[in-house]
DNA sequence: AACTCGGGGCA
DNA sequence: TGCCCAGAGTT
């Protein structure tokens, strides 16, 4: 496990590589953000961003999503994967918003998680981006990067990764670090072919050094 | 813990 | 072609 000083070094490198890393969904209102994040499960941002402009033009409130037949909504989001379930979830979630939250998106993680199609990660993203609540959403990138760099233990569950990050990272940097780690994982420390050769963190990365040794032997 | 949903992107 | 993606729900 890395110590505080080593973790600080990681954060500085993240900032150096991706100073402007930001969630592309930030500018939207809480309801649009919620829908966009629910849609983005197992789909790339680019794909979601292609669909949302026209989608949000047509649907502006929970009522709007309930005003059309399920088939119509499914058709409107078809180019994103998993569209059947996602369309159902969005209608169910719209119903809950009207029913229990006065038509507004709730701000706490617990309330958000009670909505259809909203799990821990989505709840964390919405709470932190839309309502400035302290939260770190652990997705596949954050998990992989944290484990390779030994910011957490390799065997940690997703929940344990989240706890460790909240304990190790300064709260005021959670949001920025979160986005930078995602960029770092997506474009540099990739799942398949991490670019260890040009990595500024190789000297303190167990996984990277292991990979370089393996390459050496070939 | 393992499986399913799923179209699009990329090698 | 085959594999992966900023996941959630069910068993």
């Amino acid at each position: 496990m890395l110590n505080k000083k080593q973790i600080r070094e990681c954060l500085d490198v993240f900032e150096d590589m991706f100073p402007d890393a930001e969630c592309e969904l930030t500018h939207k209102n809480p309801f649009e953000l919620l829908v966009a994040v629910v849609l983005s499960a197992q789909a790339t941002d680019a794909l979601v961003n292609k669909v949302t402009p026209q989608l949000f033009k047509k649907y502006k409130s929970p009522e709007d999503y309930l005003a059309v037949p399920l088939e119509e909504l499914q058709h409107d989001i078809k180019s994103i994967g998993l569209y059947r379930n996602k369309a159902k979830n969005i209608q169910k979630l719209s119903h809950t918003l009207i029913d229990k939250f006065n038509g507004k998106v709730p701000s706490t993680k617990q309330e958000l998680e009670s909505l259809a199609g909203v799990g821990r990660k989505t709840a964390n993203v919405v709470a932190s981006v839309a309502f400035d609540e302290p939260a770190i959403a652990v997705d596949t990138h954050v998990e992989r990067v944290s484990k390779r760099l030994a910011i957490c233990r390799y065997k940690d569950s997703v929940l344990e990764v989240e706890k460790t990050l909240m304990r190790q990272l300064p709260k005021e940097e959670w949001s920025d670090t979160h986005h930078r780690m995602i960029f770092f994982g997506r474009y540099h420390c990739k799942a398949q072919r991490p670019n260890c050769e040009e990595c500024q963190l190789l000297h303190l990365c167990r996984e990277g050094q292991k990979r370089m040794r393996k390459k050496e032997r070939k």
Side-chain angles (χ1 to χ4, degrees), chain A residues 23-39 52 56 59-62 65 90 93-94 97 101-108 111-112 115-116 118 122-133:
Chain A
C23 179
E24 294 185 28
L25 312 165
T26 322
H27 61 283
K28 296 174 177 149
N29 65 52
F31 182 59
E32 291 189 354
L33 175 70
L34 176 64
V35 173
V37 179
V38 168
L39 289 178
T52 47
F56 293 155
Y59 305 96
K60 296 185 185 304
S61 66
Y65 285 102
I90 287 173
L93 156 172
S94 297
L97 290 184
F101 298 106
N102 201 19
K104 291 184 178 177
V105 180
S107 62
T108 70
E111 290 170 321
L112 286 164
L115 301 172
V118 178
T122 304
N124 277 347
V125 170
V126 174
S128 77
V129 175
F131 299 108
D132 233 13
E133 296 273 326

Side-chain angles (χ1 to χ4, degrees), chain A residues 11-72:
Chain A
L11 300 191
D12 290 341
V13 169
F14 294 156
E15 182 176 2
D16 185 47
M17 292 177 71
F18 304 102
D20 302 320
E22 226 180 56
C23 179
E24 294 185 28
L25 312 165
T26 322
H27 61 283
K28 296 174 177 149
N29 65 52
F31 182 59
E32 291 189 354
L33 175 70
L34 176 64
V35 173
V37 179
V38 168
L39 289 178
S40 75
Q42 288 301 99
T44 58
D45 268 9
L47 197 55
V48 176
N49 286 331
K50 229 188 312 189
V51 174
T52 47
Q54 37 183 347
L55 190 71
F56 293 155
K57 215 169 171 185
K58 178 168 176 183
Y59 305 96
K60 296 185 185 304
S61 66
E63 287 82 359
D64 291 344
Y65 285 102
L66 293 171
V68 301
L70 177 59
E71 292 72 25
E72 186 174 338

